[in-house]
Amino acid sequence: MALPIISWRNFGRNAGAVITSSSTAAGAAAANVKDLRSFTLWIAGSTTSPQSLDFDLGAGGDNADHLLMVNMNAVALGAQIKIYADTSFPPTAVAQGLYTPVSDAVDYKGFTAPGVKRYWRVEFQKGGGFSAAPYVGVCQLGLQTNMSEYVAPSVDPYMADIDAMSPKSIGGHFLGALLRGTKRRGTLSFGGDVGVVRSDFTEINLWLKNRARRREPWGLVLDSADSDFSAARWLKVPDDQDTPLMPVGGSYGRFLLSVPFEEAMMEAP
Amino acid sequence: MTLYDSQLAEVSRVRQEIVTIGVRYCENWYSVPVDQGLESTDDLFVPDWTPTAGTTVTASYAAGPRPGSTNATKLAFAVAGTDHINPFAGSFNGQTANQAFTFTVFLRTDSGSGTVTLRLATGSGSVDKQVTVTTTWTRFQMHFKAGGADATITPSIRREAGDLAAVVAWGANLSKNPGAVDADVVFPYVTAPHGKALDPSVRVSKCTAADAGDGKRCYYSFPTCQDPAHFNSGNSFEQTLNGIREYKFCRSDAPLPLPGVEVWPLLESMDYSPQEIVPDQAFTRNERTNVVFLDMDAPVVWDPQKQAQGALINTASAGRFWRRFVPIFKNYANPDGYVMVKQGFVAAGYTEALYSLRRKLVAANIVLGADNRATLTCADRLHLLRSKVPAKLSDTNVLQADMTNSQTYMDVTNANEFTPAALNATGSSPDYVVTAMIDTEEVNITGLDPVVANRLIITRGRWGTTAATHAKATAISEVWECGTERSTPNLTPLGKNPITFLIEGMMRAGLAATEIDSAGLASERDTWLRSAVDPVAGTSSGVLFRRTITQQTDYETLFQEIREITLLFMWINEAQQVTGKLFAPARPTDVLYELTDGANFVKDSLSVDDQDQFRITQVLVAWSLKVGADGSKPEDFAYNRTRVAGDEESTGYYNQHRVKAILSQWLPVASGPIVDSTSQHYLDRFKHGARLVTATVEIKDDVVQLGAFVNVTTSTIATAAGAPDGPRIMQVVKKTPQPNGNIELKMLDTGIFKRYWFWAPSGTPAYDSQTPAQRRYASWATRVSAIRGIVGAQGDDAYYWW
């Protein structure tokens, strides 16, 4: 078992950060991977291996301990991914060795943070070249939030719902079904009856203030050590919901955290 | 079966739609004029082009890719590795050092496919590119960057080892790459006549605006253009570089439709008011569709394709998408643009080409709502028929010089006021004829002089008139002649089949030939409205109309008059072509899709409207307009005929007189047969009202198309004894997609109860052994049980003539 992870820091969105790529298809710029929209894509301009996304974070640099990618085709292509971080360009120090992603919808990979670096590279590799140009909708590198509590037992770990319509005929027979896709919507609760430890408050408030309450999407992994619940999700707070910031410095040692969510992309059922 | 059809047949599936908005876009590079250095570029004219001794050049061999062009050149190379053709390209001499160039040419084969080599050579080196040529015109390109000491650049088309011995070529350009970019930089093809190399008029990118700097540049749209005189709409015959930029959207409540393709999920809903065939009014109600989009932040870069090429763009990312789209593309209603709606499903293997094109519309309006949404209103392409014919010329548009009775041109004040003369795709004959009247002479306009401004190329003494002299300053008018000219044009013209000139009229109104189901309309014509004209002998027979339109009238009104007398239904089919059916029995080749209560109609969705208010008991047809009459009442016409449904008018039946009057200026004097058949068909159709059935079906029945015949069996339509009265053949007159994915069908009972005569194919078995489908063809009635007029052992109904 592993504790839940929230992926929300994205140093590609830092002021002055410049994202480039080894090659780019016309109209599919590398900068598209930082706008949090799963449907605006960076598409490589070539099928030769490797292809890469390069982040120049400026003199200040930044650190990361995970990579979250949304709406890509690395799995379909049979590609592997490698992450570099360095103080000079091109980066050659390996932050994460070659690994095989597991999902083209939302893929999470945690690694040991190498420290603050200016240059980062996400590299796609495939022996013999790719059968089609690699593409990515969102590429999020940064420091994740590690929750110190499990989700409450009331949280449905599958969270999946499928909108469907299946009319019947005048004669009473089933005619067919139209599905709208998988829709995840619910409420995340942490800590159950005993609440969330106070030491998490600062980190949680940063996430709520800088991402969730702004209706910007974020990644969630319920349990990275459990094959059933390790799938990463790309979620957002619904428009008609809200969640208050947690008070800090009060007399309470533990609080119950409750965050409503809906999926920020529609996946096929 | 397509992937769309197989998904439709699945029990459960995930629907998705793609809406593509195409808007006029400039193919220039902002603020960068780009020279083109060849001449005689269309036809590779010798001696502007130089073939080797073993290269045989056949000029004007075939049509080129540009509609109307007939000057493609065939190149036959005798020896591989030796023979080639190259143009005079000395215009760039002295301008080539460290510059890059792109060479393009259209090529095709007569049959099969094979390779041809293109070469760009400088004084110090060359590069070859071997391209694969097929029977389809394709534009090929290559580039080369010259060295610092190079002073010349020369392209050539060659036969190297393994290449084809012959190829057909048209349209070659050689342009200097802006910024000396070492890559293919392709612009729309331009025609450069002899002596015009490097002329500003043949630049491939013509924008001469001074760079206003980031944030103040154009967005490659006309409303933001800073050099409108040189706005570059590209070429419609090129697949890209055709002056159209597309924006793609998909439904926000479904998964993204296409992996690896940027489609914005901003489509919230579509409110259809679809086409509706209204038979009693000979009219098709136009479609209007409201597409509601969500708004969101504009893209990081507004013109990423231009940026990728290296052209200057504005880089600021600001504002909301639709709030910026409207001012950038204020001309979104330009009919050269479009709004396409494609329907499909989310499934493995889907590409956009596998989506089913359901609508091709013209944008009409955009409303930016207070709720952060944009509503785009669209109309169908039949909307174009609201334009007027013939073209209205200004009173000041007159002859600019005296005309002899033999000259084949006329100089006018403004040639742009005339309807553009159009050649069809092969360039062999006109899609429609444009006629002008000067004094009492009519002339046909065949084109515009390419050199002298406002000079029209004409043929003289047409449509039964005689060529004569005309004085300078004589007034000119345009007329629309609907008929057939005699081979000797000054003889009295003959009539023309109405469906034939409906097709011509649609093209004249602006619909492309590809937007018209000419084959389907011709099939209706040749089955139910047959006619023949011999322009040499001057004889004709069958259904022929004749009229000269001199007063401006919209096409829709004229077409409605024709549709009324012929009982023609017209609509845009799902292949996005204008098609039609005449009121007639379903042909045996028409597949009758079965719709029943049990398998198709959604519960609580079916209603039947008897439409008794549209019942008629008499049909009056008046024709052959008297001289000086305006045609607004029956007595304005020389002939009229009334057909009466006597039984229905009787005291015991409806005891009413309801008259349908058709006043036709289209019918010539000898139109008795069509008047008889039309009036009979009207009474058959409407003497008991035209029953309408409205019902909802599941998306699996999406195969039922607008205008199609269907077999309907429902308990709601019952006999006096209470049994289902059916199946009844109905025609789908309206098809409305519902927001939930179901489809509402409005179906008109054809009211055709009898079986009609169609010749059976050879080998059809005897009646008693036939399948129900075979029995839709005719079999001879025989004597059974001493009763005449019944068929087969069962004593089925006999067949009638329509």
Side-chain angles (χ1 to χ4, degrees):
Chain A
M1 292 182 70
L3 291 162
I5 292 163
I6 294 174
S7 160
W8 63 277
R9 287 191 181 86
N10 184 334
F11 61 45
R13 295 172 67 78
N14 289 358
V18 176
I19 306 175
T20 55
S21 54
S22 51
S23 67
T24 305
N32 285 341
V33 301
K34 70 172 185 181
D35 67 0
L36 306 184
R37 293 169 177 156
S38 58
F39 54 90
T40 57
L41 308 174
W42 162 68
I43 306 174
S46 164
T47 56
T48 57
S49 176
Q51 293 292 325
S52 57
L53 283 165
D54 283 301
F55 297 73
D56 177 357
L57 306 181
D62 208 335
N63 196 5
D65 59 3
H66 81 288
L67 168 65
L68 187 90
M69 290 201 282
V70 183
N71 189 22
M72 64 168 177
N73 63 343
V75 176
L77 296 176
Q80 292 185 301
I81 296 170
K82 196 172 184 180
I83 303 168
Y84 299 87
D86 217 330
T87 52
S88 60
F89 189 85
T92 54
V94 176
Q96 167 61 49
L98 209 57
Y99 72 96
T100 303
V102 295
S103 170
D104 277 341
V106 188
D107 190 73
Y108 163 84
K109 181 66 180 175
F111 53 87
T112 303
V116 172
K117 306 289 180 190
R118 174 172 177 170
Y119 299 102
W120 292 73
R121 171 173 287 183
V122 177
E123 188 172 86
F124 298 78
Q125 295 186 15
K126 167 77 174 171
F130 304 104
S131 56
Y135 67 83
V136 181
V138 175
C139 182
Q140 182 156 285
L141 277 161
L143 294 173
Q144 64 195 27
T145 293
N146 296 295
M147 300 299 293
S148 59
E149 306 279 353
Y150 294 105
V151 292
S154 60
V155 175
D156 172 7
Y158 294 103
M159 302 188 267
D161 188 15
I162 294 177
D163 281 357
M165 189 200 62
S166 52
K168 285 199 289 189
S169 74
I170 293 172
H173 307 293
F174 164 79
L175 292 174
L178 263 186
L179 311 180
R180 283 192 182 159
T182 303
K183 197 172 188 177
R184 295 179 172 85
R185 191 179 172 100
T187 302
L188 277 179
S189 299
F190 289 96
D193 292 341
V194 293
V196 183
V197 294
R198 184 172 161 176
S199 59
D200 283 350
F201 284 176
T202 303
E203 185 70 1
I204 288 171
N205 275 346
L206 283 172
W207 159 53
L208 290 173
K209 182 181 172 188
N210 294 319
R211 187 63 76 85
R213 288 162 58 87
R214 293 164 61 88
R215 300 316 191 256
E216 294 175 354
W218 34 273
L220 173 75
V221 182
L222 273 184
D223 184 345
S224 59
D226 185 307
S227 59
D228 278 341
F229 306 135
S230 62
R233 303 297 180 201
W234 188 235
L235 308 175
K236 68 180 275 288
V237 173
D239 293 352
D240 54 349
Q241 305 282 317
D242 213 343
T243 184
L245 293 176
M246 294 291 106
V248 179
S251 58
Y252 299 101
R254 301 181 75 85
F255 284 90
L256 182 70
L257 173 64
S258 181
V259 180
F261 70 84
E262 64 181 6
E263 194 162 23
M265 63 184 296
M266 183 73 92
E267 293 178 44
Chain B
M1 179 179 271
T2 65
L3 186 56
Y4 178 82
D5 291 332
S6 63
Q7 282 288 305
L8 204 60
E10 285 285 332
V11 170
S12 66
R13 48 284 205 241
V14 182
R15 183 177 60 132
Q16 181 54 288
E17 284 167 308
I18 299 174
V19 174
T20 303
I21 300 177
V23 282
R24 265 273 164 247
Y25 200 59
C26 182
E27 301 293 0
N28 285 333
W29 279 26
Y30 173 72
S31 191
V32 179
V34 178
D35 284 329
Q36 194 289 128
L38 306 184
E39 56 190 28
S40 297
T41 56
D42 276 10
D43 56 355
L44 284 58
F45 177 70
V46 176
D48 289 340
W49 287 64
T50 307
T52 52
T55 300
T56 304
V57 177
T58 308
S60 298
Y61 174 75
R66 181 171 57 207
S69 65
T70 56
N71 54 353
T73 297
K74 183 170 184 176
L75 306 171
F77 306 108
V79 182
T82 300
D83 285 321
H84 64 271
I85 185 169
N86 59 268
F88 170 73
S91 48
F92 279 127
N93 284 0
Q95 307 177 36
T96 56
N98 295 317
Q99 296 298 312
F101 295 85
T102 298
F103 174 55
T104 66
V105 63
F106 290 88
L107 298 172
R108 73 161 174 83
T109 62
D110 276 336
S111 62
S113 64
T115 59
V116 169
T117 297
L118 306 180
R119 175 176 294 177
L120 272 172
T122 63
S124 62
S126 67
V127 62
D128 284 0
K129 182 174 183 181
Q130 197 175 48
V131 297
T132 301
V133 185
T134 68
T135 53
T136 302
W137 280 115
T138 306
R139 192 179 184 199
F140 297 97
Q141 70 264 351
M142 67 174 302
H143 72 277
F144 187 48
K145 186 164 186 177
D150 289 329
T152 62
I153 180 84
T154 305
S156 56
I157 305 167
R158 322 179 66 86
R159 180 184 177 189
E160 295 296 319
D163 284 348
L164 291 167
V167 67
V168 187
W170 185 89
N173 276 172
L174 177 66
S175 52
K176 187 196 279 189
N177 292 357
V181 174
D182 191 12
D184 290 347
V185 181
V186 184
F187 292 93
Y189 170 72
V190 294
T191 293
H194 171 74
K196 289 290 185 179
L198 294 194
D199 190 278
S201 66
V202 300
R203 285 174 174 158
V204 288
S205 173
K206 299 182 175 69
C207 182
T208 56
D211 182 10
D214 195 2
K216 295 180 180 174
R217 295 171 180 142
C218 75
Y219 288 88
Y220 294 92
S221 70
F222 200 90
T224 63
C225 183
Q226 295 166 17
D227 182 13
H230 294 128
F231 187 85
N232 188 348
S233 296
N235 298 313
S236 59
F237 59 91
E238 294 195 55
Q239 285 195 337
T240 58
L241 304 171
N242 57 5
I244 296 289
R245 179 173 177 190
E246 291 187 340
Y247 291 86
K248 293 180 191 294
F249 307 91
C250 64
R251 297 183 71 91
S252 61
D253 65 350
L256 295 173
L258 306 168
V261 179
E262 188 167 312
V263 184
W264 286 45
L266 300 189
L267 175 58
E268 186 174 63
S269 64
M270 276 192 275
D271 170 23
Y272 294 108
S273 172
Q275 298 172 82
E276 181 172 4
I277 301 166
V278 188
D280 56 296
Q281 297 172 41
F283 175 68
T284 301
R285 194 162 287 136
N286 285 128
E287 166 157 349
R288 286 191 86 76
T289 297
N290 288 329
V291 190
V292 181
F293 295 98
L294 302 166
D295 203 358
M296 65 188 318
D297 289 346
V300 176
V301 176
W302 190 270
D303 294 294
Q305 294 89 344
K306 293 286 185 184
Q307 184 189 43
Q309 293 167 349
L312 291 170
I313 61 161
N314 295 305
T315 59
S317 170
R320 309 288 284 177
F321 177 81
W322 287 107
R323 291 176 196 177
R324 293 184 67 185
F325 180 91
V326 171
I328 290 174
F329 297 109
K330 187 73 188 74
N331 57 340
Y332 55 79
N334 183 333
D336 291 339
Y338 47 80
V339 178
M340 286 194 294
V341 180
K342 293 180 178 178
Q343 186 171 309
F345 300 93
V346 178
Y350 251 110
T351 61
E352 186 175 347
L354 296 174
Y355 270 65
S356 175
L357 175 63
R358 288 313 172 89
R359 284 172 171 74
K360 188 169 183 183
L361 308 165
V362 181
N365 191 38
I366 293 177
V367 175
L368 299 178
D371 55 354
N372 211 22
R373 282 162 173 75
T375 302
L376 171 64
T377 302
C378 314
D380 66 39
R381 302 281 290 177
L382 282 176
H383 186 74
L384 296 175
L385 299 184
R386 294 188 181 166
S387 58
K388 292 185 184 300
V389 61
K392 176 84 174 78
L393 306 184
S394 310
D395 293 341
T396 54
N397 202 350
V398 296
L399 273 185
Q400 294 296 293
D402 289 346
M403 271 177 72
T404 69
N405 63 359
S406 60
Q407 77 182 54
T408 54
Y409 64 86
M410 66 177 181
D411 293 326
V412 299
T413 314
N414 184 359
N416 292 330
E417 288 187 350
F418 290 79
T419 302
L423 294 172
N424 66 15
T426 62
S428 57
S429 62
D431 284 332
Y432 52 85
V433 175
V434 180
T435 303
M437 181 173 281
I438 323 157
D439 297 324
T440 57
E441 181 191 351
E442 291 188 27
V443 299
N444 287 345
I445 300 169
T446 59
L448 201 58
D449 190 292
V451 177
V452 181
N454 293 315
R455 174 168 287 179
L456 297 163
I457 309 300
I458 56 175
T459 54
R460 306 292 304 270
R462 312 300 298 220
W463 298 98
T465 67
T466 303
T469 59
H470 306 289
K472 179 181 178 179
T474 300
I476 311 163
S477 61
E478 192 178 301
V479 297
W480 185 23
E481 287 285 5
C482 304
T484 304
E485 277 197 290
R486 296 288 303 278
S487 300
T488 305
N490 62 2
L491 296 176
T492 303
L494 304 169
K496 189 174 234 178
N497 191 287
I499 287 184
T500 303
F501 63 69
L502 273 179
I503 294 172
E504 292 175 5
M506 285 189 277
M507 288 196 270
R508 190 180 177 118
L511 288 162
T514 53
E515 293 179 304
I516 302 168
D517 175 22
S518 300
L521 286 165
S523 172
E524 288 292 301
R525 175 193 67 198
D526 297 341
T527 305
W528 306 113
L529 274 185
R530 301 179 78 158
S531 62
V533 175
D534 185 338
V536 177
T539 57
S540 62
S541 61
V543 180
L544 296 164
F545 287 10
R546 172 79 182 103
R547 189 170 172 185
T548 302
I549 311 290
T550 56
Q551 298 297 316
Q552 264 212 321
T553 315
D554 58 85
Y555 288 97
E556 197 169 70
T557 300
L558 296 170
F559 286 10
Q560 190 171 354
E561 292 171 6
I562 296 167
R563 292 168 61 179
E564 187 174 44
I565 192 71
T566 57
L567 271 163
L568 172 68
F569 308 152
M570 281 173 63
W571 67 94
I572 296 178
N573 64 19
E574 291 184 7
Q576 299 311 301
Q577 291 183 311
V578 180
T579 189
K581 268 189 200 299
L582 293 152
F583 176 61
R587 291 188 248 176
T589 49
D590 288 327
V591 176
L592 296 179
Y593 195 83
E594 299 287 339
L595 294 173
T596 66
D597 282 348
N600 306 93
F601 297 128
V602 171
K603 195 170 182 228
D604 301 330
S605 73
L606 190 141
S607 64
V608 179
D609 179 353
D610 219 25
Q611 292 214 112
D612 194 65
Q613 67 272 32
F614 298 119
R615 182 167 47 78
I616 56 175
T617 59
Q618 296 185 18
V619 177
L620 162 71
V621 181
W623 74 98
S624 190
L625 187 68
K626 294 175 182 171
V627 174
D630 67 2
S632 60
K633 50 192 180 304
E635 47 268 42
D636 287 347
F637 295 84
Y639 301 89
N640 66 69
R641 192 169 293 179
T642 302
R643 184 176 289 270
V644 180
D647 285 351
E648 283 72 12
E649 288 196 346
S650 66
T651 311
Y653 212 148
Y654 293 116
N655 193 21
Q656 286 176 328
H657 306 290
R658 293 188 185 178
V659 181
K660 164 82 177 175
I662 300 171
L663 311 178
S664 179
Q665 298 185 42
W666 291 91
L667 296 175
V669 172
S671 292
I674 185 168
V675 169
D676 282 348
S677 65
T678 293
S679 55
Q680 181 63 58
H681 294 160
Y682 260 103
L683 279 186
D684 286 347
R685 186 73 195 75
F686 294 110
K687 66 184 177 185
H688 295 300
R691 177 190 285 143
L692 267 178
V693 174
T694 304
T696 302
V697 295
E698 210 262 350
I699 199 169
K700 72 182 172 64
D701 298 318
D702 192 35
V703 290
V704 177
Q705 300 197 357
L706 179 68
F709 288 112
V710 291
N711 244 351
V712 172
T713 307
T714 173
S715 58
T716 311
I717 301 175
T719 64
D725 183 8
R728 301 183 68 88
I729 296 177
M730 300 196 182
Q731 189 177 19
V732 178
V733 293
K734 189 177 182 184
K735 181 178 175 184
T736 313
Q738 307 274 283
N740 62 7
N742 286 338
I743 297 161
E744 184 184 85
L745 299 177
K746 188 183 263 191
M747 297 162 286
L748 189 76
D749 197 332
T750 59
I752 299 174
F753 309 114
K754 297 170 184 171
R755 299 200 291 179
Y756 288 90
W757 184 280
F758 292 95
W759 287 103
S762 171
T764 304
Y767 187 82
D768 289 335
S769 303
Q770 286 176 4
T771 64
Q774 288 171 325
R775 288 181 180 179
R776 291 173 63 194
Y777 292 99
S779 294
W780 289 111
T782 55
R783 286 178 70 99
V784 176
S785 303
I787 302 171
R788 283 186 179 277
I790 60 174
V791 188
Q794 297 289 325
D796 293 335
D797 289 342
Y799 296 85
Y800 293 78
W801 291 106
W802 180 251

